[in-house]
Amino acid sequence: TQSGTYNYNGSSNNYSMSFDGNNIKSDQLIHLVNDFTMQGWINPETIQIDWHSKLFYLEDDDETPNLYLWYNENDNHIRCNNWQGAGMNILTSNSTVNTNTWSHLSLVYENQTLKLYINGQLDIQLSIALSVPQNATITLGDHIVTGDPFKGNIDQFNIWDVALTQQQILDYMNCPPTGIESSLLVNWNFEEGSGNTAFDLSPNGNDG
């Protein structure tokens, strides 16, 4: 609540989730209305299993609408698809994402404006009326029906039911949310180290 210089002495970040044809799926539905933020760190391998590599995928029970970010192996760009109403590929990053390197992605939707941030910097934005999945399942690293798996690592994935500002995005890149933040729906930090469950650190119990 005050200005000043602060030190962060939180939990260590020793683990990420490795994807090689597998996926993580939420065990309950995420309720979105309009504005949201979806973000996480990715580290793509040079050779992908499929050129259309699914990263963060939201969809309602009947698969419509769906909204997802994917990595294009052919040109190293990030794309956003939204099926039902707004068409398929609706956004392509201006910047490329390097392979074997960690990059932070944030997809922000506010007042019918969609923004993609890469490493905390606004890369592209457009005005669009999205078909937002309102009772959605989250899948990371693949899509169970269509496939297109991602090969690489993902870390610090979270979803908010508000549009984060650029300053908030930068803050949470450097100091990840603890789980008690207002409007935080899902917070997977993948620090389990073993087992079959990615625990949600938010109070909502959205384990993967």
Side-chain angles (χ1 to χ4, degrees):
T1 59
Q2 298 180 30
S3 300
T5 301
Y6 295 88
N7 293 315
Y8 174 63
N9 188 23
S11 60
S12 57
N13 184 14
N14 296 318
Y15 297 97
S16 60
M17 188 61 68
S18 176
F19 291 86
D20 188 8
N22 54 322
N23 63 70
I24 295 176
K25 183 178 179 181
S26 60
D27 61 2
Q28 60 184 15
L29 299 179
I30 307 302
H31 302 291
L32 296 174
V33 179
N34 288 305
D35 298 350
F36 67 86
T37 301
M38 179 168 58
Q39 58 185 183
W41 292 88
I42 69 165
N43 189 344
E45 294 187 15
T46 302
I47 304 299
Q48 294 291 310
I49 299 170
D50 187 278
W51 67 277
H52 184 133
S53 302
K54 303 288 200 310
L55 297 170
F56 315 147
Y57 204 111
L58 300 179
E59 67 177 352
D60 282 346
D61 283 343
D62 61 356
E63 300 181 39
T64 55
N66 64 35
L67 176 74
Y68 64 94
L69 284 178
W70 58 284
Y71 168 75
N72 189 328
E73 180 191 31
N74 294 332
D75 60 14
N76 302 102
H77 284 78
I78 301 297
R79 286 178 164 80
C80 178
N81 281 29
N82 182 215
W83 191 70
Q84 183 179 318
M88 287 299 289
N89 184 62
I90 57 173
L91 178 149
T92 300
S93 66
N94 290 313
S95 305
T96 57
V97 170
N98 294 328
T99 58
N100 303 306
T101 301
W102 284 103
S103 297
H104 189 269
L105 307 179
S106 293
L107 187 71
V108 180
Y109 186 56
E110 182 178 25
N111 296 328
Q112 296 193 351
T113 298
L114 186 66
K115 301 178 182 180
L116 176 65
Y117 293 84
I118 299 180
N119 294 323
Q121 303 303 312
L122 180 61
D123 180 83
I124 189 172
Q125 71 177 41
L126 74 157
S127 297
I128 188 170
L130 285 183
S131 297
V132 178
Q134 296 187 357
N135 295 289
T137 298
I138 308 168
T139 307
L140 298 191
D142 197 359
H143 183 242
I144 296 171
V145 177
T146 62
D148 306 323
F150 170 69
K151 189 174 177 64
N153 286 53
I154 295 176
D155 202 8
Q156 296 290 343
F157 173 81
N158 50 70
I159 294 181
W160 309 72
D161 63 2
V162 294
L164 296 183
T165 66
Q166 183 178 26
Q167 186 58 56
Q168 289 172 319
I169 290 170
L170 290 167
D171 289 345
Y172 290 126
M173 281 177 55
N174 296 313
C175 186
T178 62
I180 62 172
E181 291 80 3
S182 175
S183 301
L184 181 62
L185 296 181
V186 176
N187 184 18
W188 294 339
N189 69 357
F190 304 124
E191 287 301 304
E192 293 79 14
S194 62
N196 297 315
T197 302
F199 293 108
D200 179 16
L201 300 185
S202 83
N204 303 309
N206 293 316
D207 296 339

